[in-house]
Amino acid sequence: MNNHMIYASHPIIWGTAILGIIIVLLQSGLIIKKSIAAAKDLRISNEQISKGIKVSAMASIGPALGVVGSLLALLVTMGSPVSTLRLSLIGSSNFEAMAANFGAQAMGSELSTNMLPVVFTNALWTMALGSMGWIIFVFLFAHKMDKVNGLLTNGRKALLPAVGLGAMLGSFAFFNVGNLMKFKTNPDVTVAAISGMIIMVICLKIGEKMPWLKEWALTFAMFGGAAIGLLAL
Amino acid sequence: MGIYNRYIDDVTKIGRSTMVLGLVASLLPALIMTFYFGFNPGLAAIVAGAISQASVSGAFYFSEPISYYPIVGRAGLYMGFLSGNLVNMRIPAAISAQEASECPAGTEEGSIMGTIGIGVSIWIGIVFLILSVLAGQALLSQLPPSFMALLTLVIPGLFGGVFAQFAIKSPKVAAFSLVVSFAMTKIVDFIPGKPAFLITLVSVFSSIIFAKKLMERNAK
């Protein structure tokens, strides 16, 4: 009995996955509850709150499908419970497969549908240990980072929106430059990115007259961009 | 103490304690395989795997929380890093919630609405994961390849859309950040080890400074 899949879908491993997911849901559930209470205290209307919830839920559907796509890649080698756990807790879609691979390679093996249980175990160790750095850093420093914002705005709160805007454009410019530079190797990615930009601009322009369109803009941009990227090439 | 300060103190307590729990939970599968089922890869292999991974992600442990803090705030860091998928799911959800509720980023109201958006996206993400696991591998592998190809293109489309959404607010900052990102991408290629984390850090912080200068000048 040297196939790892018996263990990969063992009830005890399922138990750990369920526990991990409960912790993530617990954290966000508690924080959502506190946030809604605080929002009401700050006199944000119920209507604004429910609109925020509705639109962010809509904006999450596309990326959630993307994560499901990477789940499939992981399922075959790591099994359902571990894949579900890793993609809900700490991990992200492009990190996990790489980490699992490093773990298997450290045992002189590789990821496959038929691994020795001990290779599977080492892949688990690498996934967990390799992602601990983010948690430790955020645990230690997140509550001290207000000082960074204070430094960036020289203590002037009125400048905070500029900080957020600069950070958004700075980080997403980097992702887009990466996608635009793929025009030779993966032209479909480049087309999807550019189409996403154009659709967003159109939706926001027309949305000035039809407010409902603004709420759907991001959804249209991601699916429309993806569809054009797929069909154009 | 104001409403917001009391709120953020509560969130910090919840955030930090659940992160410790999450850390333990993420180690459990490996611990159970090693000590309960008795498949011990040995310390050397465990360390070798972890070091390979850390040599790729090590710098991002620092650069990502620092770069994304101005976008998602403290609560966003706790939620985003415990659940993962920060840039492809959490940030778009946060800005969507802010835009829809008309609470701008950078204000207390905006940061609370952004946090609610992140929380919602975590629940949506987990619902979809659970549904697809229940649907089962066999069914999922029956999906046409073109559908899977579409899914891989959703994220580039999303990144383009998010960028355009903010570029409209300030085309100058948008152009500046594109130029810096492109230049940094080229520069990093020349540095030994290609430290990609430098691109985000330089791009984010130079864009912040540029946006701030612009805002100060316009205020005058």
Side-chain angles (χ1 to χ4, degrees), chain B residues 155-172:
Chain B
I155 299 303
L158 170 72
F159 286 168
V162 170
F163 184 77
Q165 192 172 3
F166 283 81
I168 282 187
K169 293 181 187 169
S170 180
K172 281 182 190 163

Side-chain angles (χ1 to χ4, degrees), chain B residues 104-136:
Chain B
T107 62
E108 293 181 349
E109 288 82 359
S111 97
I112 289 175
M113 285 311 299
T115 304
I116 293 176
I118 293 176
V120 169
S121 89
I122 291 173
W123 283 72
I124 297 275
I126 288 180
V127 166
F128 272 82
L129 273 177
I130 291 174
L131 283 180
S132 46
V133 166
L134 290 181

Side-chain angles (χ1 to χ4, degrees), chain B residues 9-69:
Chain B
D9 276 352
D10 287 346
V11 166
T12 305
K13 281 190 201 110
I14 300 169
R16 295 187 87 205
S17 49
T18 45
M19 287 198 95
V20 175
L21 291 177
L23 196 67
V24 175
S26 82
L27 285 168
L28 277 181
L31 287 169
I32 287 170
M33 283 302 291
T34 307
F35 297 106
Y36 181 77
F37 290 121
F39 296 105
N40 191 347
L43 197 60
I46 294 174
V47 170
I51 287 179
S52 306
Q53 184 55 49
S55 63
V56 178
S57 354
F60 295 99
Y61 301 154
F62 307 92
S63 72
E64 288 186 350
I66 294 172
S67 311
Y68 302 138
Y69 177 76

Side-chain angles (χ1 to χ4, degrees), chain A residues 174-225:
Chain A
F174 164 55
F175 302 134
N176 279 298
V177 163
N179 288 335
L180 297 180
M181 281 165 68
K182 285 185 186 154
F183 68 95
K184 274 188 188 141
T185 51
N186 296 77
D188 50 345
V189 170
T190 306
V191 172
I194 294 175
S195 313
M197 286 184 205
I198 296 171
I199 295 172
M200 173 58 80
V201 172
I202 295 172
C203 286
L204 291 182
K205 287 287 174 205
I206 305 177
E208 282 165 13
K209 291 199 184 95
M210 292 190 275
W212 64 270
L213 195 58
K214 278 190 182 171
E215 294 174 19
W216 287 92
L218 199 57
T219 309
F220 285 154
M222 60 184 142
F223 284 109

